[in-house]
């Protein structure tokens, strides 16, 4: 028998994590990241799912100037410190909520692993971005490449975890609609 109390708390946690995560995401997209793009004329590191080269990093960091780099460190990075955890918690709780009554536990575990991996890569990306800004203009290629790899990994793992979540939602919905028999 399914514990309704447990699933109710899980549903509430899912809504809370999702709501807070969405609020921060909207704030980043509409305020901080758009400001960084407007100031620099370049797409910020966070919004480059295919990564970036040392030349791309130089162009962005030069374009930001002193005030833009400070803004990145003091506005965008703090918001992006809360966001990865909230996104991962939202996806994990939603996957657990969808998967609580289905035999696809391996898929739930894989999705959770992908969501947590995406968050960890996002934190690595943030550390790399902060290090690039703090070391500017002494920018090492290895730091840029490591940060770029973290960005690409974050993007890929996030995409996979969201796709798994959607798949679990479809399976859960089909189980609910299927007539008992």
């Amino acid at each position: 028998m399914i514990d309704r109390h447990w699933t109710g708390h899980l549903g509430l946690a899912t809504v809370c994590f999702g709501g807070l995560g969405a609020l921060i995401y909207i704030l980043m997209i509409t305020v901080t990241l758009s400001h960084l793009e407007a100031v620099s004329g370049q797409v910020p590191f966070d919004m480059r799912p295919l990564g970036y080269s040392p030349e791309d990093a130089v162009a962005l960091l030069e374009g930001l100037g002193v005030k833009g780099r400070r803004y990145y460190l003091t506005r965008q990075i703090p918001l992006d410190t809360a966001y990865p955890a909230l996104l991962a918690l939202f996806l994990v709780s939603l996957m657990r909520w969808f998967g609580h009554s289905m035999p696809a536990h391996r898929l739930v575990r894989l999705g959770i692993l992908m969501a947590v991996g995406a968050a960890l890569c996002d934190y690595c990306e943030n550390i790399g971005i902060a290090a690039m800004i703090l070391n500017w203009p002494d920018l090492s290629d290895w730091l840029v490449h490591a940060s770029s790899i973290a960005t690409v990994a974050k993007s890929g793992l996030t995409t996979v975890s969201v796709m798994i979540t959607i798949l679990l939602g479809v399976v859960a919905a089909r189980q609910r609609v299927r007539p008992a028999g």
Side-chain angles (χ1 to χ4, degrees), residues 44-103:
F45 297 117
D46 310 78
M47 301 303 293
R48 296 181 184 221
L50 300 177
Y52 38 88
S53 68
E55 294 79 22
D56 295 330
V58 167
L60 175 58
L61 293 171
E62 276 181 354
L64 285 171
V66 173
K67 288 183 181 178
R69 290 189 298 272
R70 187 176 321 115
Y71 184 90
Y72 214 132
L73 279 177
T74 61
R75 302 298 192 285
Q76 173 57 27
I77 296 292
L79 286 174
D80 204 19
T81 298
Y83 179 72
L86 288 169
L87 178 60
L89 288 167
F90 167 69
L91 291 172
V92 166
S93 58
L94 188 56
M95 283 185 264
R96 291 190 66 213
W97 190 55
F98 285 151
H100 77 273
S101 64
M102 66 178 67

Side-chain angles (χ1 to χ4, degrees), residues 15-26 28 82-83 86-87 90:
V15 169
C16 290
F17 295 139
L20 286 171
L23 182 67
I24 290 174
Y25 183 76
I26 290 167
M28 287 191 304
Y83 179 72
L86 288 169
L87 178 60
F90 167 69

Side-chain angles (χ1 to χ4, degrees), residues 21 25 31 49 51 70-71 88 93 113 119 130 145 162 170 173:
Y25 183 76
V31 179
R70 187 176 321 115
Y71 184 90
S93 58
L113 182 64
H145 289 300
V162 168
V170 168

Side-chain angles (χ1 to χ4, degrees), residues 109-177:
R109 284 194 295 271
L110 177 63
I112 289 170
L113 182 64
M114 297 294 111
V116 171
L120 293 174
C121 288
D122 201 341
Y123 288 121
C124 290
E125 172 193 55
N126 291 342
I127 291 167
I129 292 168
M132 287 190 285
I133 293 169
L134 292 171
N135 288 313
W136 180 259
D138 297 324
L139 198 60
S140 68
D141 285 357
W142 73 265
L143 178 57
V144 175
H145 289 300
S147 300
S148 179
I149 289 168
T151 299
V152 172
K154 168 200 77 171
S155 301
L157 291 171
T158 299
T159 300
V160 171
S161 64
V162 168
M163 291 173 66
I164 290 172
T165 304
I166 291 168
L167 178 61
L168 288 167
V170 168
V171 170
R174 289 183 71 198
Q175 285 182 342
R176 284 195 157 177
V177 177

